[in-house]
Amino acid sequence: MSAPLSGQAAPLRLGIAGLGTVGIGTVKIIQKHAAMLAARAGRPVTISAVSARDKRKNRDADLSTYAWEDEAVALAQRDDIDVFVELIGGDEGIARDAVTAALKAGKDVVTANKALLAIHGQELAELAEAQGRVIRFEAAVAGGIPVIKAMTESLAGNQIRRVMGVMNGTCNYILTRMENAGLPYETVFEEARQLGYLEADPTLDVGGIDASHKLAILAAIAFGTRPAFSDVEIEGIERVSIDDIRRAADMGYRIKLLGVAQMTGRGLEQRMSPCLVPADSPLGQLQGGTNMVVIEGDSVGQIVLRGAGAGEGPTASAVMSDVIEIARGVRMPSFGQPATELIQPQAARTAVPAAYYLRLTLADKPGALAKVASVLGDAGISIDRMRQYGHSSGEAPVLIVTHKTTPDAIDHAISVLPKTGVITGEPVELRIEEV
Amino acid sequence: MSAPLSGQAAPLRLGIAGLGTVGIGTVKIIQKHAAMLAARAGRPVTISAVSARDKRKNRDADLSTYAWEDEAVALAQRDDIDVFVELIGGDEGIARDAVTAALKAGKDVVTANKALLAIHGQELAELAEAQGRVIRFEAAVAGGIPVIKAMTESLAGNQIRRVMGVMNGTCNYILTRMENAGLPYETVFEEARQLGYLEADPTLDVGGIDASHKLAILAAIAFGTRPAFSDVEIEGIERVSIDDIRRAADMGYRIKLLGVAQMTGRGLEQRMSPCLVPADSPLGQLQGGTNMVVIEGDSVGQIVLRGAGAGEGPTASAVMSDVIEIARGVRMPSFGQPATELIQPQAARTAVPAAYYLRLTLADKPGALAKVASVLGDAGISIDRMRQYGHSSGEAPVLIVTHKTTPDAIDHAISVLPKTGVITGEPVELRIEEV
C-alpha cells in the first residue's frame, strides 16, 4: 500500500486561521497527540503558521514555534502549508476570501464554517473540484458527531428518506432548562446570554438560523442537491412558552427545535421549527446542549447519532477527522458526488401530513367547544385527543392533538378560529413530528 | 481530481460469496440503485459472479446475469472481479480460505464476518497490507451502524477512553421481552428460537460470543492493539432472571448484555457481561433488536450511535459503504493503522471500580442482615442503597446497591457470604456500568 501505510511520508502542514475555542482546541490535539496522529495518519501532522485578529491576546496554547500571519488570506497562500484550516466563521468577508484564496493557491481546506458552506458551498465545492482540491467540513454540523461522514460515506448505499436533528445546543439548553426549572423563555434566554451560550447575534441561535445552515448542508448530501439554505422554512424558539412546554409534557411530548429535510414528489421540504416529539423517543430524551441527528435510509432504516454539538474538544475532534483524512490521501467530493452534478432542488413548502398540537383559550361561552370542533371538522381535521383545563378567570385553556392532517388544513383552521368569537388570544399550533 | 470525481471510470466488479440474507440484500441494492451508486462512487458498481452452497435454491433476486461458482475460493480468484465480498460466515473453513485466496490473488475484500476478523484479523490485515490490498468490515460490527468508520476515521484525533455497546440484537430482544412481558428466560429463549432470531448454535448469541467478537474488533481499533478475542471476559445472559430484571427496574436500572473495552494502567480490559445501566440512559432506553455503541474520546467526549444491528437492509447497507469506499479509491489500513504496528495488548482482568447490584436471600434468622453488612464492610464495600422485600416463606429477598468498589472485593464478599449461614441460595451480583 502507498503513502498512508508508511511512517516515512512527508508531514502534512497546516495553516490555522482563527484562534478561538476551536482553533486552540485543534492546536492542542496536534501538540498533545503528535505520535498517535502520525501512526494513524501515516505521516506527521504539523502546523506551519497561524493567524488571528489579535496576536497579543493571551491564548491557552504555546504558538511560539509557528509563523504568524496577520491576514488570513496571506496565511492561505503560504508555500509552507498544504491544508488551510478555516476557523474564523461568517459567511462573507475574511472567511470566504481566505477559503477562496486557499483553493486557488492549490491548498486543501478544512472548515467548521456552517454559514459559509450553507450559503456558498456550491461555488466553493465547484472551485475545489476544478482545482483538484478538497474542502471538508465535518465540524460544521453537530460538532463532534460524525454526521457528514456518516451521510457521505457510511450511508452512500442508501436512498435517504429523511434527515432530521436537534442541531443547536443553545436552543436545546434553553428548552430543557425551561421545562426542568419551570422558567419562562425570557428568563432562561437571559441566563444563556450570561453563561456565554449565545452567539453575538442571538437570533442566529434562537431564531433557528444556525441550525438551518446545518440542515441545508445535510439536505444537499442526502438528496444530491445544491445547498439551498434560503429555501429552509425557519421558525425559532422565541414563541415557545413555558405553558406549551408543560401542556406538551402532560400529553407525553417534549418540544424541540427540530430540523427536518425530506424529498417529496413535489420537491425538497426543509423546515426548522419547534416541534413536539414523544418524550420517550431518543430525540425527546435529549437534554441540555447535546445534539442528535436522525438519518433514515431505504436499506439501513433509522440511524441515530448523538453527542456534543459544540465546544472546544468536540469541534476540534471533527476538524482533526478531516485533517487526518487528507493526510491519509482520502479525496472525496464535498457533498458526496461532484458538485457540478448536484441538481438545483425544487423548494416545496411543507405538505407532508403530521399530527398537530393546538392550544386555544376558550371564552366562557356556551357551545364554545362545539364551535371549535366544527371549525376543525370543516377543515377536514379530526381530533385524536382533547383536554380542557379548569379555569377560574372565565377563560379555559384547551389542548387538542389532531390526527394526521396537512399544514394547509391547520393554517386554514387557525385563520378561521378567531372569527368564531369563542376563543381569546392567539391559537398556538405546533407540529408533532413522527420520529 | 482523479477517478473518484469522474463518471467515466471503469466499473468496480464484485464477486459475492454467500447468498443468504445479507448477500441477497447487497445484490438488491446494487440492482436497484445502480445510477445513484455510480454517481456517488464515481464509477459503476457491478457484480461479475456469485457463489453459494446451493445453486438451485430459490432466492429473492435475479442472479441470472452473473457467473456462478460452486466454490468460493474459485470465485475469489476470478480475473473478472476486483473485490471479493465474503458473506459466508464462520471463522474457519471456506470463509477464511476464500478471503486468504482473494487477498493473495490481489483482490480487495469486504466482509461481514465478525468471527473471522476477531480471531484471524491480525493475520488477514497483515496479508492485505503486504499485498497492497484492503480488507474492510463495517458490516461485521453492529449491522448498519457506521461504528468501524466512526472509530477508524471520525474519531482518529482522539485518544479513546472507553468503548462499549449493546451489540447482539437477539440478547437485547430477549432481555427487553422478559421485562415487558414478565416472562422467564427459558420461555423467551424458546420464543426467540421459533422466531428464527437465534444462530444455529444459540450460545453464539446468548453466551455473549458473537457480541465479544465485535468488542474485540472495536478494541483493536480503539487502542491500536492486535485483536484479542480470547482475552475477553465473557458471560452470557443465561443466568439473568426475571427476578433480577424486576428488582433492577425497581431501583431505576435495566439489565443489558454490555460489552466494555478500556485501556488501563495494568492493561486492556475487555468484558462482555450482563450489566445494570440507568433506565433513562440511552443504553437503558434501548428496546428490542436495536444496537448501540458508545465511544468516549478525550476530545469528543461521548458519542452514541444507534441503529439496527442486523437484518438484510442494515447489514447490506454497511457492506455497500465499504464497497463504495473501495470504488472511490479510498484505501485505509484495516484497524486504522498498519497491522504490523499494532501492539500485542496485555490482557487485564476487570479492575476498574464500579457500583454493584447484589441480590441475596436472607434466612429468617435474627441478626441476618447485620451479618451480611458486616461481611461487606470487612471487604471494604460500602452500601449505597438497600431494599428488603416482604416475605411469607421465611426467606427475605434483599437488594443492595453498593458504592463503587472493585470486582475483587465483590468476589471476595460473594465467596464469604455463604459461610455466614444466614443466606440461602446463590447470591447474584451484577456490575452497574457507569454510562
Side-chain angles (χ1 to χ4, degrees), chain B residues 213-358:
Chain B
H213 287 146
K214 298 167 185 168
L215 184 69
I217 295 171
L218 293 186
I221 300 170
F223 305 112
T225 48
R226 296 171 169 232
F229 165 69
S230 59
D231 292 341
V232 182
E233 296 177 71
I234 308 179
E235 187 190 330
I237 61 169
E238 300 97 330
R239 71 169 181 128
V240 176
S241 71
I242 179 67
D243 257 12
D244 286 315
I245 288 178
R246 284 192 183 123
R247 304 305 189 196
D250 279 359
M251 313 283 266
Y253 296 103
R254 289 220 171 85
I255 300 180
K256 298 289 172 190
L257 178 66
L258 189 66
V260 181
Q262 61 199 124
M263 187 60 81
T264 72
R266 300 170 317 101
L268 176 61
E269 292 187 7
Q270 301 179 88
R271 62 183 170 278
M272 178 66 57
S273 62
C275 289
L276 271 63
V277 296
D280 61 358
S281 64
L283 280 165
Q285 293 278 318
L286 204 63
Q287 297 273 315
T290 314
N291 281 20
M292 180 173 286
V293 180
V294 178
I295 312 166
E296 292 168 355
D298 64 342
S299 289
V300 80
Q302 191 183 73
I303 292 284
V304 179
L305 312 174
R306 181 186 194 276
E312 174 180 313
T315 313
S317 166
V319 169
M320 289 309 300
S321 157
D322 285 339
V323 166
I324 293 166
E325 290 284 280
I326 292 172
R328 282 170 167 166
V330 174
R331 308 192 73 71
M332 190 95 61
S334 300
F335 293 97
Q337 53 186 288
T340 49
E341 291 176 17
L342 298 173
I343 55 173
Q344 183 62 44
Q346 171 77 35
R349 200 172 160 279
T350 297
V352 170
Y356 277 80
Y357 159 102
L358 301 177

Side-chain angles (χ1 to χ4, degrees), chain A residues 40-58:
Chain A
R40 291 180 178 171
R43 55 200 284 207
V45 174
T46 61
I47 299 169
S48 297
V50 296
S51 85
R53 253 183 307 210
D54 181 357
K55 186 173 181 179
R56 288 157 309 176
K57 188 173 164 188
N58 199 9

Side-chain angles (χ1 to χ4, degrees), chain A residues 1 5 29 33 40 133 146 149 152-154 156 158-159 298-299 304-306 313-314 317 321 328 332-333 336, chain B residues 1 5 29 33 40 133 146 149 152-154 156 158-159 298-299 304-306 313-314 317 321 328 332-333 336:
Chain A
M1 200 166 292
L5 290 183
I29 292 178
H33 287 318
R40 291 180 178 171
R133 296 290 104 200
K149 186 173 275 285
T152 317
E153 304 174 22
S154 302
N158 287 262
Q159 188 165 16
D298 65 342
S299 288
V304 179
L305 311 173
R306 180 185 195 274
S317 166
S321 158
R328 283 171 166 165
M332 190 94 61
Chain B
M1 196 164 297
L5 290 181
I29 293 177
H33 288 317
R40 290 180 179 170
R133 295 290 103 199
K149 186 174 274 285
T152 318
E153 304 174 22
S154 302
N158 287 261
Q159 189 164 16
D298 64 342
S299 289
V304 179
L305 312 174
R306 181 186 194 276
S317 166
S321 157
R328 282 170 167 166
M332 190 95 61

